[in-house]
Amino acid sequence: MSRAANYFAWQGRLVAPELGQRVIEVGCGIGNFTGMLLDRETVLAVDIDPACIERLQQRYCNRPNLHALVCEPGSAAFANLVRWRADSCVCLNVLEHIEDHRRALQAMAEVLAPGGAIVMLVPAFQNLYGPIDRNLCHYRRYSRKSLANLAQVTGLAVETLHYVNAVGFFGWWMNAHIFRREAQSETQIRIFDRCVVPWLSRLEAVAPPPFGQSLFAVLRKP
C-alpha cells in the first residue's frame, strides 16, 4: 500500500483536520504518514521496530519538530511522553496488531493532555478476517459497537465513528473467502488507487457508508 498515493491522500483528508499541533503517531513505520504531519509544532513518532525508526530519521533528517523513538503503548518510555502534553494521537491500522488493545488505548489516553483526541483507522468487520489478516498479524477486526465499547471501558468519549471504503469491503471479502489470498495483490491495489479512490473518497465525504473495509474514529479524552 505504500505506493497507493491517492489512498494515503484520502487518509490525510480524513485524519489531519482532527489533529492538533502536538501529535503522537503510534506505529509510524517508515514514515509514510509522518510526512503529512510535519507542518505541526511537534511530532512524536513511535514504533516498536528500530529499523523503521532509523529509516524514518534518515528520511526526515533536519526536522527539529520531529522526535522519533522506539517504544510501544504501555511501556515506560511511552508513558514518559506525557511531559510533551500532546493534544492528539494518531493510530492508523495499528491497534489490530496489539493483543491487549485495551491497555494500549488506555496508555495513549494517559499521555494526552485533557481534551486531547485519539484518531484511529482500524480494519472493520470480523467476518472479513482471512489469510491476509493472519499474515499481517491482525488479532481482530472491529465493528462500530466493539470499538465504541472499547472506548467506553477506557473512559474515552466517541466523537466520530463511521465506516470507510465501501468498495474495499467487497474486495477484502472476496480475497478472504473466494480467492483465499495470502497477500494483497499489487494489481488490485494499483487499480483501486487509480480508478476507485478518486471518486469513492469524494462520495463518502458527502455520505459515509453503512459498512466499509475500515472504521474511522475520533475518541476524546475528558
Side-chain angles (χ1 to χ4, degrees):
M1 293 298 293
S2 61
R3 299 177 183 175
N6 289 323
Y7 180 74
F8 276 107
W10 185 11
Q11 282 190 349
R13 291 192 297 273
L14 279 171
V15 172
E18 306 294 343
L19 300 174
Q21 287 299 312
R22 300 182 305 282
V23 183
I24 299 171
E25 184 186 8
V26 176
C28 60
I30 62 172
N32 290 330
F33 189 76
T34 311
M36 298 184 186
L37 303 173
L38 295 178
D39 60 341
R40 314 283 161 149
E41 176 186 319
T42 302
V43 179
L44 306 166
V46 306
D47 201 280
I48 61 172
D49 189 340
C52 285
I53 293 298
E54 182 179 0
R55 173 76 182 279
L56 182 145
Q57 290 172 323
Q58 293 171 350
R59 190 174 180 181
Y60 302 115
C61 59
N62 300 320
R63 295 280 188 156
N65 63 329
L66 174 62
H67 307 271
L69 63 156
V70 179
C71 67
E72 61 182 324
S75 67
F78 189 87
N80 286 336
L81 296 180
V82 70
R83 64 189 177 89
W84 291 91
R85 293 190 57 80
D87 55 25
S88 45
C89 179
V90 59
C91 182
L92 302 181
N93 296 308
V94 172
L95 198 65
E96 65 275 12
H97 293 275
I98 302 175
E99 185 172 9
D100 192 346
H101 59 170
R102 176 177 176 178
R103 178 171 176 260
L105 190 60
Q106 185 67 56
M108 294 179 214
E110 288 173 353
V111 298
L112 289 179
I118 299 174
V119 183
M120 294 194 300
L121 198 66
V122 295
F125 291 104
Q126 190 62 27
N127 62 5
L128 295 184
Y129 195 98
I132 296 176
D133 290 283
R134 284 193 295 273
N135 289 339
L136 290 173
C137 299
H138 291 176
Y139 283 99
R140 69 197 73 80
R141 300 178 71 91
Y142 294 84
S143 66
R144 290 184 62 180
K145 181 178 180 180
S146 67
L147 194 54
N149 288 342
L150 182 63
Q152 182 179 27
V153 298
T154 51
L156 295 164
V158 176
E159 191 168 285
T160 301
L161 186 60
H162 64 78
Y163 293 109
V164 176
N165 190 5
V167 173
F169 174 95
F170 298 104
W172 202 275
W173 186 88
M174 287 190 295
N175 281 338
H177 300 295
I178 296 178
F179 302 127
R180 304 296 297 174
R181 290 189 186 275
E182 298 285 334
Q184 292 175 291
S185 161
E186 291 288 339
T187 301
Q188 281 183 339
I189 292 171
R190 184 170 60 252
I191 293 172
F192 174 74
D193 189 60
R194 294 179 181 178
C195 303
V196 177
V197 170
W199 62 264
L200 183 64
S201 60
R202 291 194 293 270
L203 178 63
E204 293 193 3
V206 176
F211 58 88
Q213 179 185 328
S214 300
L215 188 59
F216 176 69
V218 180
L219 310 178
R220 186 73 59 180
K221 179 178 179 177

